[in-house]
Structure formats: C-alpha cells, structure tokens
Amino acid sequence: MTGAHVSATLEQLRLVGVGRDELLRTAVKLIHDNSEHYDWTGIYLLKDGVLELHNYLGAPTEHTRIPVGRGVCGTAVAENRTVNVPDVSALENYLSCNVETKSEMVVLIQKGERILGQIDIDSHTRNAFSEEDEKFLERVAGKLAEIVAD
Ligand code: SME
C-alpha cells in the first residue's frame, strides 16, 4: 500500500464513524504490514511534554512514556524533525526496547506547528529505512494529524 492508500482507508473508516482510538490501532496495523523490515510499529501521542504509547505491534516495550529530549523518540520532538537512525548502536541518547533492533525511524504527527505525536518504527535490519519509507510515513502522519486533532 502507498501512503495515499493508507490515508484513504483511514479516511473512509472515519467517515463511517470509526472512533479515534480504533483508527490509530488500524493505522499501526496498516503501517506495520507495509514492509517486512518493520519489526515494531507504534504510535506515541504527546501530552504535557511526555510521549505516551497509544498502541503498537511487535514485542512489548518498557518505554511507554518518554519525555521530550530522551531517546530517538524524544529527540524527534525536541528537534522538530523526522529522525532516521541507520545504526542504533552508534547512538548515546537511545532507549533500547529490544536487543534485536538495529535501526529506527521516527516521523512526527504534526498539525501546523503543533506536534501531536509520532509514528515510531524499529527494524531488526541495519539501515532499513529509505527516503521512500520516510515519504510513506509522512503521508500517513498527515492523515493521523487530522484524526488526532479532531
Ligand atoms: N528506541 C526508542 C524508544 C522506543 S522503542 O523503540 C519502542 C528511543 O530511543 O526513543
């Protein structure tokens, strides 16, 4: 599926009255199924300076609440940008969820200047994320911003 397909699917569900939480769970599933390199997929929502894990697919993580500035997730918010880490072992400010994780990508869910949350993907493959993944996730994040801001 392309980012446009995922967005259209979410919009259709929204139009028939599916609620926010279920839309966010469906989004994680559709994203997770997009690539066999996506080994952990989650959505965090930003609340009072803390990223709270809304839902995920993959191994359970202890990092369900991450303050802005901490780890890859908190860095993306602090620096207001997409973060693509080809090799997590090279990072100092990193919160490990799973010893098998080799690379990670975080894309912000943003409405204008306001950061509402993020999509976080971990991969067991080093350097798993391309510009194409980034575009795909940014497209989906745009739709998620409408859903979360509603
Ligand atoms: N590795 C992240 C923490 C979240 S887990 O990947 C699920 C980080 O450094 O912020």
Side-chain angles (χ1 to χ4, degrees):
M1 268 206 195
T2 64
H5 277 124
V6 172
S7 299
T9 303
L10 293 171
E11 183 58 27
Q12 277 160 13
L13 292 171
R14 187 157 82 130
L15 287 173
V16 297
V18 173
R20 187 193 84 147
D21 289 336
E22 190 166 347
L23 288 172
L24 294 181
R25 282 191 289 274
T26 303
V28 163
K29 188 171 180 344
L30 293 173
I31 295 165
H32 196 69
D33 288 347
N34 184 57
S35 164
E36 57 190 25
H37 290 310
Y38 297 179
D39 292 298
W40 189 96
T41 304
I43 290 176
Y44 286 88
L45 297 180
L46 185 63
K47 205 171 164 217
D48 301 329
V50 177
L51 288 160
E52 297 179 346
L53 184 57
H54 179 278
N55 85 99
Y56 67 94
L57 285 171
T61 174
E62 62 188 83
H63 300 296
T64 56
R65 290 174 55 82
I66 303 175
V68 170
R70 291 212 55 208
V72 179
C73 295
T75 298
V77 177
E79 298 182 358
N80 194 9
R81 64 182 179 95
T82 292
V83 178
N84 182 0
V85 183
D87 178 4
V88 297
S89 71
L91 273 193
E92 275 180 27
N93 187 7
Y94 177 65
L95 303 171
S96 175
C97 282
N98 182 329
V99 287
E100 288 189 80
T101 299
K102 302 279 192 309
S103 59
E104 177 161 357
M105 174 169 264
V106 173
V107 170
L108 296 175
I109 298 169
Q110 252 174 318
K111 185 101 184 165
E113 293 294 290
R114 202 153 60 96
I115 298 173
L116 304 171
Q118 62 186 217
I119 303 167
D120 178 22
I121 322 267
D122 289 354
S123 179
H124 298 172
T125 305
R126 196 165 273 116
N127 201 11
F129 303 102
S130 64
E131 228 173 276
E132 208 178 302
D133 292 290
E134 192 172 326
K135 283 199 192 112
F136 167 72
L137 295 170
E138 286 176 353
R139 182 77 166 78
V140 178
K143 178 52 68 183
L144 293 178
E146 293 171 21
I147 291 167
V148 174
D150 236 8

